[in-house]
Amino acid sequence: MIILADDVQQQELTGGQPFTGVLFVSTFEELVRQQAADIYMDLQFENTPSRIGILRKLLPATVVINCVADTLEDTDHRFVRVNGWPTFLRGKTIEASGKDHDLTEKAFQVFGKQVEWLPDTPGLVSARVVCMIIHEAFLSFTEGVSSRQDMDTAMKLGTNYPFGPFEWAEKIGQDRLQRLATRLGYPLPGVTKV
């Protein structure tokens, strides 16, 4: 198994533990240079025609992409897409969409994770919900309802979420959130910088 991941994704996926049979790489070039892997994970995936074309050359191996806002129809129906946004790989469940269930499940079981197979829709489930919460927080902030810090505190204490909406937005990243929110039809209001 070859995995392209940044340090945060690797830490969230592995919990800092070493795993045999897993090679983490830091560049796309290193990922595609590897020969004869059963599974390739591009957790730094960017939806561009050239990247998709290069990843297609790895088929029939299982190709897993971190692709939250776009669907397999937007990339390639032979891939498996997962939610690999910051903070979402640390849990016990990995949301995925695609057809190659067996190898994908085995790959994530190595890290003690269970795959939850979902319909191929933008945002899957968790990212869609978190994006809506962040949207409402930004809307409330622009309307002067409360400060960012107060909303973060209220959500953490009131709902026991690991992060408040503005903290989560900062960890996930403005571009990712805005892409999903726009795809879902409700762009984040007043967002110029998270």
Side-chain angles (χ1 to χ4, degrees), residues 20-86:
T20 57
V22 179
L23 174 63
F24 283 94
V25 297
S26 58
T27 68
F28 184 66
E29 292 73 24
E30 289 177 279
L31 176 75
V32 298
R33 212 176 338 176
Q34 304 301 318
Q35 299 293 316
D38 294 325
I39 189 161
Y40 295 86
M41 285 191 202
D42 185 354
L43 297 181
Q44 295 291 301
F45 178 76
E46 297 171 11
N47 189 357
T48 63
S50 63
R51 191 144 184 158
I52 291 168
I54 294 168
L55 289 172
R56 282 179 179 145
K57 292 177 183 175
L58 300 174
L59 297 167
T62 300
V63 175
V64 177
I65 57 174
N66 172 16
C67 187
V68 178
D70 297 323
T71 65
L72 293 173
E73 184 177 314
D74 303 317
T75 57
D76 190 301
H77 70 278
R78 297 169 293 180
F79 295 164
V80 173
R81 60 184 274 261
V82 298
N83 178 0
W85 275 1

Side-chain angles (χ1 to χ4, degrees), residues 29-152:
E29 292 73 24
E30 289 177 279
L31 176 75
V32 298
R33 212 176 338 176
Q34 304 301 318
Q35 299 293 316
D38 294 325
I39 189 161
Y40 295 86
M41 285 191 202
D42 185 354
L43 297 181
Q44 295 291 301
F45 178 76
E46 297 171 11
N47 189 357
T48 63
S50 63
R51 191 144 184 158
I52 291 168
I54 294 168
L55 289 172
R56 282 179 179 145
K57 292 177 183 175
L58 300 174
L59 297 167
T62 300
V63 175
V64 177
I65 57 174
N66 172 16
C67 187
V68 178
D70 297 323
T71 65
L72 293 173
E73 184 177 314
D74 303 317
T75 57
D76 190 301
H77 70 278
R78 297 169 293 180
F79 295 164
V80 173
R81 60 184 274 261
V82 298
N83 178 0
W85 275 1
T87 74
F88 289 89
L89 290 172
R90 67 174 49 171
K92 294 286 184 193
T93 303
I94 301 294
E95 294 180 343
S97 184
K99 295 179 181 169
D100 198 346
H101 292 201
D102 290 339
L103 273 179
T104 303
E105 288 176 4
K106 286 177 185 173
F108 282 106
Q109 283 172 357
V110 167
F111 306 111
K113 315 259 183 208
Q114 178 180 337
V115 176
E116 183 68 34
W117 294 99
L118 300 169
D120 189 30
T121 58
L124 299 167
V125 173
S126 295
R128 183 183 283 242
V129 170
V130 168
C131 191
M132 289 168 140
I133 291 167
I134 291 169
H135 177 272
E136 289 304 313
F138 273 97
L139 185 61
S140 296
F141 178 74
T142 61
E143 292 174 351
V145 171
S146 184
S147 72
R148 290 177 180 217
Q149 183 178 358
D150 287 348
M151 282 189 256
D152 280 345

